[in-house]
Amino acid sequence: MTYQLNEKLKKIDPYKVAMEDCRIRLDANESFILPEEELKHRLMAALGDVPLNRYPDDSYGELRKAYGGYCNVDPDLIVAGSGSDELISLLIGAFLKSDDKLLLANPDFSMYPVFASTYERHTCFIARDSEGNLNTAEVIDKIRKEKVTALLFSNPSSAFSTVMEAEKVMEIVDNTDALVIVDEAYMDFSDQSVLQEAASRDNLIVLRTCSKALGCAGIRLGFAHSSSRLINVINALRPPYNLNILTETAGRVLLSEPGYIEGAIAKILENRAELYEGLKSLEAAPAIKRIYPTATNYICIETDHAERIREGLKARSILVRSLGTILRVTVGTGEENRQVIEGIKAVLSEIEGMDK
Ligand SMILES: *Cc1c(COP(=O)(O)O)cnc(C)c1O
């Protein structure tokens, strides 16, 4: 007898992360800012003192205190993960039973259905409107009719860069028995967080990450915040030592520098305004339908030529994302922003030339 992979495993492919070697990378919504010398030295010193031979503090109390301080929540009501991706995977895999149904927004963050498929969770979808919003009454109705156990969506929307009002999100939370998981990966750029409501709700989990506004995608650090009842469950489900000691240490140092984080966010918003102005000037081109307003560190462009423009930019060694009819450009340095705008202009004139 030999072991046989089951049919599902025979067909499964690794999730492809774009790692193309481009001069300018504006495809993954990372921050373009690195810590300055002084903070970098402090980071290095802290990392140098780490006892690598020992298991880390499994409760990472100091890190939770630093994050709680940064976003003004009770450190006892925080769980950390290796990126919010680990927490999303854990919530889908361990919170939901095999016959439970997960409601996702469409479109949304591409990893949600990937994790749902890994754990073979049933999913159903609710469409976002053209502004990226969810109709609250429709969501509540769908949850009831389809007997949904959990709703998961990003706010600001990872697909449109727009933000839904906190009041609307709470309307859903307070009018359903389903678990509502709000992925606020980009909320540091906006002001519609429901983080402050989570401690007092037994059906709301808010996810945050250090990968975007905080400029630390490389250390893999994300957080979940909820009521003590749900936080206890997440703690019981996560593997012990799920956070490695280097991540814990780096996160603790960075998060105890709110001035640094605020400065970085302000700089990103400044560059976003420049990129937005530049892209807005392209709206006159026939191929461009609209430039979405943005509550994040990226800008979404609606065009029927999204994939063509992405390829044209890639030929110029500039990486952006295309998602259906949306071209998504991450805010970069001033120079990167100028080059991507010039690049799009050049590709648009190629397209117009070809279509004549
Ligand atoms: C980037 C992103 C994440 C992933 O965050 P990590 O902490 O890097 O795993 C989660 N959700 C959304 C919507 C994102 O855009």
Side-chain angles (χ1 to χ4, degrees), residues 28-29 82-86 88 108-109 112 154 156 158 183 185-186 208-212 217 220-222:
N29 302 340
S82 279
S84 49
D85 269 358
E86 183 191 24
I88 296 166
D108 211 330
F109 186 44
Y112 305 153
S154 60
S158 104
D183 181 351
Y186 300 99
R208 304 287 285 246
T209 177
C210 294
S211 297
K212 309 287 158 64
R220 312 302 304 125
L221 181 59

Side-chain angles (χ1 to χ4, degrees), residues 148-201:
V148 163
T149 307
L151 161 69
L152 164 61
F153 65 100
S154 60
N155 192 41
S157 149
S158 104
F160 291 96
S161 75
T162 51
V163 70
M164 200 168 137
E165 287 165 34
E167 206 176 300
K168 292 265 167 68
V169 175
M170 290 315 296
E171 204 175 300
I172 299 175
V173 173
D174 288 336
N175 286 288
T176 176
D177 294 328
L179 172 66
V180 179
I181 306 167
V182 186
D183 181 351
E184 295 191 340
Y186 300 99
M187 197 55 92
D188 305 85
F189 298 110
S190 186
D191 57 1
Q192 297 299 316
S193 178
V194 293
L195 204 54
Q196 300 306 326
E197 310 299 326
S200 61
R201 304 295 198 294

